[in-house]
Amino acid sequence: MPKNVMQDEAEKIMEVAEREALRLGKGLSIAVVDSGGFIVSIRRFDGARPMTPLIALSKAYTSAVMQRPSGMLKGWSTSDPVFFSKVGDLGQFPIVATGGGVTLKLEGEFVGGVGVSGGTPQEDEALAQSILTELGYETDFDEWAGAKGAGDPKH
């Protein structure tokens, strides 16, 4: 049975996220889910817009259940938008293809996802990546099918 990110680890993630949000001077929201995409923790930091917690949750959910960072799905969403939109509506939260969602992977095992929302796309992604780096999560993931060369038999 796979391990899951638990509340104590979610608290460490939130500490890093809050410190970085304050450093950026941004009102951000952060969501942490387990490997099945179930909520472990969500925080809407001071100044975050009302919609940001739900966006962060969608990014975290995507990264957990698709087992790769949400930004890696952009090629699939572009190459097969109809199918992607249908798949995106199947789960308990939307599947999104945008930066700011990272998969939590330790020792080759998928343990959850984190989503960041409220900054620019680059700020959300940078903050999410800083969580992985600081807390020692793996950052290597296989390219998603269809991410490049969709319909091209060479890829």
Side-chain angles (χ1 to χ4, degrees), residues 2-155:
K3 299 175 195 166
N4 280 305
V5 65
M6 302 299 277
Q7 192 61 47
D8 62 335
E9 191 65 14
E11 288 303 317
K12 293 175 192 171
I13 290 166
M14 292 298 173
E15 287 174 21
V16 173
E18 184 173 24
R19 184 192 70 227
E20 291 302 303
L22 289 170
R23 184 183 64 74
L24 288 170
K26 297 280 184 164
L28 300 175
S29 290
I30 312 298
V32 179
V33 299
D34 66 17
S35 62
F38 294 97
I39 299 168
V40 178
S41 184
I42 298 177
R43 296 230 179 110
R44 179 178 167 213
F45 297 125
D46 291 347
R49 294 181 308 278
M51 191 71 172
T52 59
L54 294 175
I55 296 168
L57 179 57
S58 291
K59 291 177 180 184
Y61 177 78
T62 297
S63 298
V65 301
M66 301 307 271
Q67 298 183 335
R68 59 195 29 85
S70 57
M72 286 185 79
L73 303 180
K74 187 67 179 157
W76 177 30
S77 72
T78 302
S79 68
D80 197 352
V82 173
F83 183 61
F84 182 84
S85 70
K86 296 297 182 192
V87 170
D89 292 336
L90 291 176
Q92 60 180 326
F93 303 108
I95 302 285
V96 296
T98 187
V102 292
T103 306
L104 299 177
K105 183 175 157 186
L106 287 171
E107 299 174 8
E109 197 166 354
F110 297 102
V111 298
V114 173
V116 179
S117 181
T120 66
Q122 296 80 14
E123 288 168 336
D124 290 353
E125 182 65 23
L127 195 153
Q129 290 296 326
S130 70
I131 290 168
L132 297 182
T133 301
E134 185 167 329
L135 298 178
Y137 288 98
E138 295 170 36
T139 57
D140 59 317
F141 298 92
D142 292 333
E143 192 73 41
W144 185 256
K148 49 184 177 170
D152 181 349
K154 295 180 207 167
H155 294 284

